Amino acid sequence: DAGVIQSPRHEVTEMGQEVTLRCKPISGHDYLFWYRQTMMRGLELLIYFNNNVPIDDSGMPEDRFSAKMPNASFSTLKIQPSEPRDSAVYFCASSTGAGTYEQYFGPGTRLTVT
Amino acid sequence: TQLLEQSPQFLSIQEGENLTVYCNSSSVFSSLQWYRQEPGEGPVLLVTVVTGGEVKKLKRLTFQFGDARKDSSLHITAAQPGDTGLYLCAGPMDSSYKLIFGSGTRLLVRP
């Protein structure tokens, strides 16, 4: 079975540009999570969805960040405008829920904002 | 606020040595998970421990959940270069599906 798929794997952009990261969760998983990982702050939860509905976006750093899940097989994380401090690795993860907290991570998108 | 602290932060050992890494909290967790992350990849789930005092083994890796469900340890016997990576513990936050992650232990096993 395919795992969580993320694209692109690498993104280099200039400050001020819009960046869109994409995620396809594992089929049948009802929960989708977006994380950001940096050396300084480790792995931080940005937002998570249940059945395509955003449940908790308290980790989204500011209004420049937005996330959508238009259907069960696709989610996007958008940064507009991007800033150098947004440089990080962004992970998408999915979970079945149903009493288990186990999450399955994608390979990540390494974002560099110059 | 629930926090997970991991120690040590870095560990460099020779192939064949044994090691233990720790994950501690002042809060009680209903379960704890251990993930391993290799460079350029996402974290991969190794194990979930649920019951206080529980011990789980995965080949050369032994995981233990503290009796009070506030801490966990990971012991690796006869470490191999393939064990190199970032080891993360994680637990559910306030019975939600959000996970809190520890800051991780970065392990390097030298051939």
Side-chain angles (χ1 to χ4, degrees):
Chain A
D1 289 338
V4 175
I5 299 172
Q6 290 188 247
S7 64
R9 291 295 310 273
H10 302 274
E11 177 80 42
V12 180
T13 190
E14 292 184 347
M15 181 174 63
Q17 296 298 305
E18 177 179 296
V19 175
T20 299
L21 311 181
R22 297 171 176 80
C23 174
K24 176 179 169 57
I26 294 172
S27 177
H29 283 194
D30 293 333
Y31 287 82
L32 183 139
F33 305 83
W34 281 102
Y35 291 88
R36 178 171 67 178
Q37 187 177 41
T38 61
M39 287 296 290
M40 289 295 294
R41 300 175 67 90
L43 200 58
E44 301 175 282
L45 178 66
L46 300 177
I47 184 171
Y48 81 97
F49 296 82
N50 177 214
N51 291 326
N52 313 337
V53 176
I55 302 299
D56 187 333
D57 65 355
S58 59
M60 296 285 260
E62 48 196 276
D63 292 345
R64 298 184 297 105
F65 286 68
S66 63
K68 294 182 180 180
M69 192 164 186
N71 58 62
S73 59
F74 184 66
S75 178
T76 60
L77 178 67
K78 187 176 294 186
I79 307 173
Q80 166 63 20
S82 58
E83 296 183 3
R85 59 191 167 125
D86 302 330
S87 297
V89 182
Y90 291 81
F91 289 102
C92 175
S94 68
S95 174
T96 60
T100 176
Y101 302 102
E102 300 171 351
Q103 296 184 12
Y104 296 85
F105 284 77
T109 296
R110 180 173 294 277
L111 173 65
T112 302
V113 183
T114 60
Chain B
T1 304
Q2 292 176 290
L3 289 174
L4 286 169
E5 296 182 352
Q6 290 189 243
S7 61
Q9 286 187 296
F10 303 97
L11 194 54
S12 179
I13 61 171
Q14 203 71 33
E15 181 177 1
E17 293 182 5
N18 302 332
L19 67 118
T20 303
V21 299
Y22 300 92
C23 174
N24 295 294
S25 176
S26 58
S27 304
V28 175
F29 283 87
S30 59
S31 65
L32 281 179
Q33 299 167 14
W34 285 92
Y35 292 80
R36 178 170 64 208
Q37 184 178 15
E38 298 184 14
E41 300 295 331
V44 174
L45 179 68
L46 296 174
V47 76
T48 300
V49 286
V50 179
T51 306
E54 181 177 9
V55 176
K56 281 191 174 179
K57 292 193 174 185
L58 187 66
K59 297 183 181 178
R60 294 174 294 98
L61 278 60
T62 302
F63 304 85
Q64 185 162 8
F65 201 11
D67 291 341
R69 292 186 287 126
K70 292 184 178 181
D71 57 88
S72 181
S73 63
L74 159 59
H75 181 80
I76 301 179
T77 303
Q80 299 178 1
D83 296 326
T84 292
L86 177 67
Y87 288 82
L88 296 160
C89 65
M93 185 187 299
D94 298 328
S95 301
S96 74
Y97 282 101
K98 294 167 60 171
L99 287 180
I100 304 170
F101 279 84
S103 55
T105 293
R106 202 167 292 274
L107 172 66
L108 172 65
V109 182
R110 305 185 306 274

Short mmCIF file of all heavy atoms in Angstrom, two decimals, chain A residues 10-14 110-114:
data_model
loop_
_atom_site.label_atom_id
_atom_site.label_comp_id
_atom_site.label_asym_id
_atom_site.label_seq_id
_atom_site.Cartn_x
_atom_site.Cartn_y
_atom_site.Cartn_z
N HIS A 10 11.36 19.06 -2.50
CA HIS A 10 12.20 20.23 -2.23
C HIS A 10 11.58 21.44 -2.91
O HIS A 10 11.06 21.33 -4.03
CB HIS A 10 13.62 20.02 -2.76
CG HIS A 10 14.31 18.82 -2.21
ND1 HIS A 10 15.01 18.86 -1.02
CD2 HIS A 10 14.39 17.55 -2.65
CE1 HIS A 10 15.50 17.66 -0.79
NE2 HIS A 10 15.14 16.85 -1.75
N GLU A 11 11.64 22.57 -2.23
CA GLU A 11 11.12 23.81 -2.80
C GLU A 11 12.04 24.94 -2.38
O GLU A 11 12.30 25.13 -1.18
CB GLU A 11 9.70 24.06 -2.27
CG GLU A 11 9.07 25.36 -2.73
CD GLU A 11 8.51 25.28 -4.13
OE1 GLU A 11 7.88 24.26 -4.46
OE2 GLU A 11 8.71 26.24 -4.90
N VAL A 12 12.52 25.66 -3.37
CA VAL A 12 13.33 26.85 -3.10
C VAL A 12 12.59 28.03 -3.70
O VAL A 12 12.23 28.00 -4.89
CB VAL A 12 14.74 26.73 -3.71
CG1 VAL A 12 15.54 27.99 -3.40
CG2 VAL A 12 15.46 25.51 -3.17
N THR A 13 12.37 29.05 -2.90
CA THR A 13 11.62 30.19 -3.39
C THR A 13 12.19 31.47 -2.79
O THR A 13 12.96 31.43 -1.83
CB THR A 13 10.12 30.05 -3.03
OG1 THR A 13 9.37 31.06 -3.72
CG2 THR A 13 9.90 30.22 -1.53
N GLU A 14 11.80 32.57 -3.36
CA GLU A 14 12.27 33.86 -2.86
C GLU A 14 11.25 34.45 -1.89
O GLU A 14 10.03 34.21 -2.03
CB GLU A 14 12.50 34.83 -4.02
CG GLU A 14 13.66 34.43 -4.91
CD GLU A 14 13.91 35.46 -5.99
OE1 GLU A 14 13.04 36.33 -6.20
OE2 GLU A 14 14.96 35.38 -6.63
N ARG A 110 11.21 19.83 1.95
CA ARG A 110 12.22 20.76 2.48
C ARG A 110 12.04 22.10 1.79
O ARG A 110 12.24 22.21 0.57
CB ARG A 110 13.62 20.22 2.25
CG ARG A 110 14.72 21.15 2.79
CD ARG A 110 16.09 20.53 2.71
NE ARG A 110 16.22 19.37 3.59
CZ ARG A 110 16.50 19.44 4.89
NH1 ARG A 110 16.69 20.62 5.47
NH2 ARG A 110 16.61 18.35 5.60
N LEU A 111 11.65 23.10 2.55
CA LEU A 111 11.40 24.44 2.02
C LEU A 111 12.54 25.38 2.38
O LEU A 111 12.92 25.48 3.54
CB LEU A 111 10.09 25.01 2.57
CG LEU A 111 9.78 26.46 2.23
CD1 LEU A 111 9.57 26.63 0.73
CD2 LEU A 111 8.56 26.96 3.00
N THR A 112 13.07 26.03 1.37
CA THR A 112 14.09 27.05 1.58
C THR A 112 13.58 28.35 0.99
O THR A 112 13.24 28.41 -0.20
CB THR A 112 15.41 26.67 0.91
OG1 THR A 112 15.85 25.41 1.42
CG2 THR A 112 16.47 27.73 1.17
N VAL A 113 13.50 29.38 1.83
CA VAL A 113 13.06 30.70 1.39
C VAL A 113 14.26 31.63 1.46
O VAL A 113 14.84 31.83 2.54
CB VAL A 113 11.91 31.24 2.24
CG1 VAL A 113 11.44 32.59 1.69
CG2 VAL A 113 10.76 30.25 2.30
N THR A 114 14.65 32.18 0.32
CA THR A 114 15.85 33.03 0.27
C THR A 114 15.48 34.51 0.25
O THR A 114 14.33 34.87 0.00
CB THR A 114 16.69 32.72 -0.96
OG1 THR A 114 15.89 32.96 -2.14
CG2 THR A 114 17.12 31.26 -0.96
#
